[in-house]
Amino acid sequence: MLTILRPRRLAVAVVAMVGAMCVAVLPAAATQQSPPTKAAAHPAAAGPTTDAATGATTPFAIYEAEAGTPTAGAVVRSLTSAPTTQYSSAALEASGHSYVHLDGTGQSVQWTNTTGRPISFLNVRAGIPDSASGGGTTATLDLYVNGVFRQALNLNSLQSWVYEGNGNYNTSDNQNPADGDPRVFWDESHTFVTGAPIPAGATFSLREDSTNSASFYDIDSVDVENPPAPQGQLANSISITSCGAVADNNPTNGAADSQSVDSRAAIQNCIDQAEQQGKILWIPQGTFYVKGTAGLNAQGITIAGAGLWYSTVYRDVPVPNTTPLAALFDLTSCTVRDFHIDANAVSRSTIGGDGGAMDTTGTDWLADGIWTQHTMSGFWASGTGGTVQNSRLTSVWADGINVNNVSLGADTGNNLTVTDNFVRGTGDDAIAINSVNYNTNSDGSKTSYNPMTNVTVSDNTSIAPWGGKGVGIYGGSGHQVKDNYISDTARYIGLGAGRFGVNGSDLLSATVTGNTVVRSGGNAYSQGQPALHIGNGGDGQNVGTVDRVTVTGNTVTDSLYDGIGFSTSTNTLLQDNTVNSPGRNGISISPPFYPAPTGSATITGNTVTGLDPGTSAFVNNSTGFTATLSDNHWPPPAPEGPYGGTPAAVPGTLQAEDYDTGGQGVAYNVTSVNGNANSYRADGVDLDNTSDTGGGYNLGWTGAGQWFRYTVDVATAGTYTLGLRVAAPAAVTGALHLSDASGTNLTGAVDLPATGDWQTWSTLTTRVTLPAGRQVLTLDQDTGGWNINHLAFAASTDTPSTDLAAGRPTSESSHNDVYPSSNVTDGNQNTYWESANNAFPQWVQVDLGSARSASRVVLQLPAAWGARTQTLTLGGGTDATTFTTLKSSAAYAFDPSTGNTVTLTFPATAQRYYRVTVTANNGWPAAQVSAFHIWAA
């Protein structure tokens, strides 16, 4: 299997646009049918995909535009690094995360027909610009065969281009370009080749000519095939034309033909007759319109067409629409096969005219060979024993295939099968197993449903969902999800096994095996989601049970973020899976925004290759999740080292985001990972874009017990002024401290003032004494509620004449009347601290804010006071509770003839707190100090 590996490091700056093609007038049928091919991986050369081991077997082959040959200045545009915002781009929503951009006359993209058979039918995924006011445009693009013009293809952007700016994030009904942040860049539709089929070995190209009016054309991929002749009317069938249905074969090109006939009543009449007479409902070749807001209802019959290339039922809803829509077909215990469904919907919502294609329930129902486009969902199906197979779903506004236990009033969804289907470009999950526990009714009551059991999702291809997962497993038990190919999710998880929200069923068992997940994961809501995920909380609610999920033999390649992620789940078996070239970590427990406070998994026999620097094969960010590891094949954890390879220089500025490499438990310890600076540090940890001067990132999501290590190179031993650039909405007591490699507290507890907001910055100054040379410092988070941008170390200007205590905060054992301890550092010898009377011992202390080196303390009383002797002890401490004796207890005389001054000298020491304890005073029944000077060593 050939795949294009995701290039890295350079983000796409140009956002491209969208369009769609319409169905041309049908030629005479081809005589040779294309044999089936696997539709899965994207080719590395200019040939189609034919040999993938997983995914659907289809009658067409896919030519990716980026695998073709751009000419005359046409360029390939690719996603070259993981998204740094939560919004979309044309490359992000493209299959292969790449496309070809044409913006000048003569530019083209060309391929060679290497299928070994003729091509008579093309399905093109392409885009052209929106109109200035929204709502789309139309244009043409020319098809050439062997360098000779063959036909003009109609394109439009009427059913694409919605905008998320101005409070519209993750919606799909805003068509106002002024709001900005566009999404839905691609649409696709199909046409027969005019004239002779494109022979094997011939070249074919899409070229912008002077007659093509769009300002640019973006080409994502082309599906090529040689369909069989249309089927004739089946025996024992009633043709809808016999009931008055009228075909209209004018190209729709993104909108209904205003001259078309409404055939809804005629088709429903034929359905009723088929039910009464036990006959098949036949849809002949042509496009038949169902107009208005009503749909079609059928029970217990077969509905068949001449082939999904030939028979179309087109839903035409007046837009803007105010009437909630049921599906085009409401089906109970029916078989449907071999026709195409299309619609004029311009968004997912009611106002955009969107309803589902087929809502299905009952027993032993079958959908086989149905091609659905532009509806809200393809299949919304419940019941027992039903199957969706051999179908195509392209450019669907919401879910492609959603099997559930609620469709059409059912309460059961058991033994359902989804197999050999091709899904591309959905606005929600391409394929979902959706087990609902209950729904809340308008009166507040609840309707409960039976948990789903034994659903099989196998051999499907899910490509480029722009608004959901490739495959989602939401609750129930006994499910088998195997041998599917999933690629290029734009925003979300590629393959997820969990539970949907607060009202979903618990997931009590599932087997996920043999699937291929490529270029998946996404940055919806700036979450950096994994490619494959097991656990609850995948859809915003961290609730419910996910138990006994077996994940074996899957391959995850080029994930945008983590390859495999776990949130809360129990008894998972993760065995013999391969993760290749993940964008972040290979296997991650509790990755960003997917908490796993508890859980358990056996992780054995897995392989991780192609790790980027600074990432890990395995990381467990949870202290409560038990992971049992054995016989895994991946590089050992990287040793701790300075970020970028070079220790930060002291003196100098140390950026908080540049903590050491080595991963969780080595270079850092975090209890949650919520960072959104994934383009800077691949571990996803605790970084935020800063608005502080200089920009870049800050360290955030602080919490007690977390720590980050930094390797530094100190030029000269000594005391340094440490400027902490911090932001805190409210004051934080004991927020942090800095320690050395042995764990010695270098600063004592640092209190942070309120700065007003998370991005309102202030510099707090303290002191730290460091030896010379390379060493590791740890920033310990003792209390959360603050951000830090950088730590600036400057050579201290302290000299023996520096009074370290001047203006510093103080505390005391007690004080009398209006004589608090703050008087001892106010610089005025005539103000003083006096303790409570007759209650020795008493103490007063000065807080220097950090450990600072001193060798002398000077105490004073007011100069005019009479002589007295006080018995004193001097202590020092790095915290406010444990003190070392610096001067033992002794009697010291305060004499007005010497300025009532006492000097205490001691060997130089670095302490944060200096405390004088008084046990006696012969001049007053209390402790007294008017000035407390601490002189630098």
Side-chain angles (χ1 to χ4, degrees):
M1 181 174 66
L2 297 175
T3 55
I4 294 177
L5 296 181
R6 173 173 56 87
R8 303 250 177 107
R9 304 292 172 248
L10 180 62
V12 171
V14 180
V15 174
M17 318 296 179
V18 245
M21 273 188 253
C22 71
V23 178
V25 176
L26 302 181
T31 58
Q32 177 185 352
Q33 182 178 1
S34 302
T37 55
K38 281 286 189 181
H42 301 291
T49 298
T50 58
D51 60 348
T54 57
T57 300
T58 68
F60 58 86
I62 305 171
Y63 284 88
E64 287 293 320
E66 66 271 19
T69 302
T71 68
V75 295
V76 175
R77 290 181 174 170
S78 301
L79 186 76
T80 52
S81 66
T84 58
T85 76
Q86 63 183 344
Y87 294 100
S88 290
S89 69
L92 188 61
E93 293 185 4
S95 61
H97 288 327
S98 295
Y99 63 97
V100 170
H101 177 77
L102 316 177
D103 62 6
T105 299
Q107 293 183 4
S108 73
V109 57
Q110 178 177 288
W111 305 267
T112 299
N113 178 7
T114 59
T115 63
R117 51 193 184 267
I119 298 170
S120 61
F121 187 90
L122 304 176
N123 181 63
V124 181
R125 195 167 195 248
I128 63 173
D130 195 7
S131 66
S133 59
T137 61
T138 61
T140 59
L141 183 64
D142 291 341
L143 171 67
Y144 282 73
V145 177
N146 284 331
V148 178
F149 172 80
R150 178 63 65 89
Q151 68 196 88
L153 308 176
N154 290 322
L155 299 176
N156 76 84
S157 55
L158 305 180
Q159 293 178 283
S160 50
W161 282 105
V162 296
Y163 300 87
E164 298 184 276
N166 198 24
N168 292 290
Y169 184 69
N170 209 27
T171 62
S172 60
D173 58 1
N174 176 32
Q175 293 185 299
N176 180 13
D179 287 331
D181 295 315
R183 72 190 301 202
V184 194
F185 296 92
W186 304 101
D187 198 1
E188 53 186 282
S189 59
H190 40 270
T191 180
F192 277 89
V193 175
T194 300
I198 302 169
T203 63
F204 61 101
S205 59
L206 298 177
R207 188 165 87 178
E208 179 181 352
D209 287 329
S210 60
T211 55
N212 304 140
S213 59
S215 60
F216 66 80
Y217 297 82
D218 291 329
I219 312 301
D220 186 26
S221 62
V222 180
D223 308 335
V224 301
E225 59 186 310
N226 192 32
Q231 299 181 66
Q233 183 170 348
L234 300 179
N236 194 37
S237 66
I238 301 174
S239 173
I240 61 173
T241 57
S242 68
C243 298
V246 177
D248 182 331
N249 292 323
N250 291 320
T252 54
N253 202 23
D257 178 11
S258 61
Q259 304 302 310
S260 61
V261 173
D262 180 12
S263 295
R264 193 204 71 82
I267 296 172
Q268 185 63 57
N269 183 25
C270 261
I271 289 172
D272 296 341
Q273 291 182 39
E275 290 175 355
Q276 294 164 7
Q277 299 173 30
K279 292 186 176 182
I280 297 168
L281 181 74
W282 175 251
I283 304 174
Q285 184 172 343
T287 299
F288 298 89
Y289 278 76
V290 172
K291 296 191 174 186
T293 57
L296 302 165
N297 300 275
Q299 295 187 25
I301 64 170
T302 294
I303 304 174
L308 53 77
W309 308 270
Y310 306 108
S311 300
T312 297
V313 180
Y314 189 96
R315 188 171 203 177
D316 178 13
V317 176
V319 175
N321 173 51
T322 58
T323 303
L325 299 173
L328 174 60
F329 286 94
D330 281 358
L331 305 171
T332 301
S333 302
C334 287
T335 294
V336 292
R337 58 176 12 121
D338 300 330
F339 61 94
H340 175 232
I341 295 173
D342 203 350
N344 70 323
V346 295
S347 79
R348 176 174 178 165
S349 62
T350 297
I351 194 171
D354 210 354
M358 290 184 173
D359 284 2
T360 299
T361 192
T363 58
D364 299 324
W365 51 263
L366 174 65
D368 185 5
I370 303 297
W371 190 347
T372 304
Q373 294 181 273
H374 303 122
T375 59
M376 181 165 67
S377 58
F379 300 96
W380 187 268
S382 62
T384 300
T387 298
V388 182
Q389 65 185 27
N390 303 320
S391 293
R392 307 184 197 183
L393 300 102
T394 57
S395 297
V396 172
W397 282 106
D399 289 343
I401 303 170
N402 185 305
V403 289
N404 55 67
N405 55 349
V406 297
S407 180
L408 293 181
D411 64 2
T412 300
N414 301 330
N415 301 304
L416 304 175
T417 300
V418 179
T419 187
D420 236 14
N421 301 286
F422 179 87
V423 189
R424 182 172 53 204
T426 57
D428 211 315
D429 295 339
I431 299 172
I433 302 169
N434 180 18
S435 184
V436 180
N437 183 21
Y438 69 86
N439 278 324
T440 302
N441 304 314
S442 58
D443 62 0
S445 63
K446 292 182 178 179
T447 299
S448 298
Y449 307 91
N450 298 309
M452 295 177 69
T453 59
N454 302 326
V455 175
T456 298
V457 175
S458 65
D459 299 287
N460 302 283
T461 294
S462 298
I463 296 177
W466 51 264
K469 298 179 179 68
V471 173
I473 309 166
Y474 304 113
S477 62
H479 306 318
Q480 299 278 331
V481 176
K482 58 185 182 179
D483 300 329
N484 300 283
Y485 179 88
I486 299 158
S487 73
D488 306 308
T489 55
R491 288 195 169 175
Y492 294 95
I493 293 160
L495 196 166
R499 164 179 155 156
F500 192 89
V502 295
N503 67 323
S505 302
D506 291 333
L507 180 60
L508 300 182
S509 65
T511 298
V512 179
T513 185
N515 301 283
T516 300
V517 183
V518 181
R519 293 179 298 270
S520 293
N523 204 33
Y525 299 97
S526 298
Q527 291 179 346
Q529 300 185 13
L532 192 158
H533 170 254
I534 305 105
N536 69 15
D539 292 272
Q541 302 289 338
N542 302 316
V543 296
T545 298
V546 175
D547 186 45
R548 293 185 296 131
V549 178
T550 297
V551 182
T552 62
N554 302 283
T555 300
V556 179
T557 299
D558 282 346
S559 60
L560 295 187
Y561 303 98
D562 295 309
I564 300 174
F566 287 84
S567 58
T568 300
S569 50
T570 51
N571 301 309
T572 302
L573 174 62
L574 187 74
Q575 183 173 12
D576 298 334
N577 302 281
T578 300
V579 179
N580 298 316
S581 301
R584 200 158 60 191
N585 300 307
I587 299 170
S588 178
I589 295 170
S590 191
F593 299 95
Y594 289 82
T598 61
S600 61
T602 298
I603 300 175
T604 181
N606 301 284
T607 300
V608 178
T609 66
L611 289 169
D612 281 345
T615 63
S616 301
F618 172 79
V619 60
N620 187 349
N621 296 314
S622 169
T623 58
F625 192 106
T626 301
T628 303
L629 277 64
S630 66
D631 195 33
N632 295 293
H633 312 288
W634 53 54
E640 183 182 2
Y643 181 74
T646 303
V650 173
T653 298
L654 175 62
Q655 296 296 331
E657 65 268 25
D658 290 345
Y659 50 87
D660 283 357
T661 58
Q664 168 72 11
V666 176
Y668 59 83
N669 177 65
V670 293
T671 56
S672 64
V673 281
N674 302 302
N676 57 15
N678 298 297
S679 63
Y680 187 75
R681 293 298 294 263
D683 53 28
V685 171
D686 291 338
L687 300 185
D688 195 12
N689 296 295
T690 184
S691 62
D692 196 12
T693 302
Y697 307 97
N698 63 260
L699 192 64
W701 289 278
T702 51
Q706 297 190 150
W707 47 260
F708 290 82
R709 288 180 175 150
Y710 301 85
T711 299
V712 300
D713 192 353
V714 180
T716 305
T719 299
Y720 290 85
T721 301
L722 175 58
L724 301 170
R725 189 66 171 171
V726 294
V732 183
T733 301
L736 61 92
H737 72 276
L738 201 65
S739 59
D740 63 17
S742 65
T744 301
N745 190 328
L746 301 177
T747 60
V750 176
D751 303 331
L752 301 184
T755 66
D757 202 353
W758 295 108
Q759 291 294 324
T760 301
W761 295 92
S762 179
T763 299
L764 177 72
T765 301
T766 184
R767 297 289 193 277
V768 61
T769 300
L770 301 172
R774 180 167 174 158
Q775 55 201 276
V776 175
L777 303 178
T778 301
L779 179 66
D780 292 281
Q781 300 177 5
D782 301 312
T783 305
W786 48 277
N787 291 342
I788 183 166
N789 189 9
H790 60 246
L791 302 83
F793 295 85
S796 175
T797 58
D798 291 350
T799 69
S801 61
T802 300
D803 181 9
L804 304 179
R808 297 301 304 173
T810 64
S811 55
E812 80 237 336
S813 54
S814 67
H815 72 266
N816 186 32
D817 200 10
V818 291
Y819 309 112
S821 63
S822 58
N823 288 339
V824 304
T825 59
D826 66 0
N828 184 352
Q829 189 176 349
N830 292 317
T831 61
Y832 61 95
W833 162 71
E834 183 175 286
S835 73
N837 290 332
N838 301 306
F840 292 111
Q842 297 286 339
W843 56 263
V844 62
Q845 72 185 29
V846 178
D847 177 5
L848 301 185
S850 64
R852 299 178 68 178
S853 182
S855 60
R856 183 166 53 105
V857 164
V858 175
L859 305 176
Q860 292 180 310
L861 292 177
W865 282 17
R868 68 203 64 201
T869 297
Q870 298 190 77
T871 303
L872 311 174
T873 301
L874 177 65
T878 56
D879 58 48
T881 57
T882 303
F883 287 83
T884 298
T885 299
L886 304 180
K887 292 291 285 187
S888 298
S889 178
Y892 293 89
F894 290 83
D895 188 341
S897 66
T898 57
N900 272 333
T901 298
V902 166
T903 298
L904 310 176
T905 60
F906 46 90
T909 182
Q911 306 290 338
R912 172 173 174 173
Y913 297 92
Y914 289 80
R915 175 184 288 188
V916 169
T917 301
V918 181
T919 57
N921 182 355
N922 68 1
W924 196 259
Q928 297 170 314
V929 176
S930 68
F932 192 148
H933 304 287
I934 303 171
W935 300 101

